Amino acid sequence: QVQLQESGPGLVAPSQTLSLTCTVSGDSITTNYYYWSWIRQPPGKGLEWMGAIAYFGSTYYRPSLKSRTSISRDTSKNQFTLQLSSVTPEDTAVYYCARSRELDGMDYWAKGTLVTVSS
């Protein structure tokens, strides 16, 4: 059973960097053909894919967020991390990490964590 769990602060000040870590169990983030994504859902809006890191380490980003987003991984801890810089209140959302085969639909999701951007 694959399990994903986000961790990180629930409150970030405007202009700062949001940082979340996803810890994976039941699978390795280097397993062939699997991609590990960050997705968010602002209040009252739909899901928005932010980016992903592939099993071989390459990263992919939503074009509109690319300049502010960085995804990295620590294979020794089986974790991958999201950093979103220069946040504004519009970045307030529930943030999810998830797994997919290639970049198809997600098959395993974390529960989600609310991050609020506010002073």
Side-chain angles (χ1 to χ4, degrees):
Q1 178 75 9
V2 180
Q3 293 185 318
L4 299 92
Q5 176 68 55
E6 307 103 338
S7 59
L11 180 65
V12 181
S15 81
Q16 298 303 302
T17 296
L18 179 160
S19 184
L20 294 172
T21 296
C22 185
T23 301
V24 179
S25 60
D27 190 15
S28 169
I29 62 173
T30 62
T31 299
N32 282 353
Y33 311 122
Y34 285 99
Y35 289 62
W36 305 87
S37 289
W38 287 99
I39 301 120
R40 68 181 181 178
Q41 186 170 30
K45 298 184 179 180
L47 292 169
E48 178 182 63
W49 179 82
M50 301 179 68
I53 188 163
Y55 59 99
F56 54 91
S58 290
T59 52
Y60 307 83
Y61 300 109
R62 186 180 193 88
S64 61
L65 295 173
K66 186 175 182 178
S67 65
R68 298 197 291 132
T69 307
S70 177
I71 298 174
S72 59
R73 68 180 184 174
D74 185 335
T75 56
S76 68
K77 296 180 180 179
N78 214 36
Q79 295 175 333
F80 61 106
T81 298
L82 169 73
Q83 291 193 308
L84 181 67
S85 64
S86 304
V87 297
T88 72
E90 285 67 41
D91 293 309
T92 294
V94 176
Y95 286 76
Y96 300 90
C97 54
R99 188 190 82 163
S100 66
R101 184 174 173 88
E102 303 292 351
L103 282 175
D104 291 332
M106 309 301 163
D107 58 0
Y108 286 97
W109 293 73
K111 292 182 179 179
T113 187
L114 175 64
V115 179
T116 301
V117 179
S118 176
S119 55

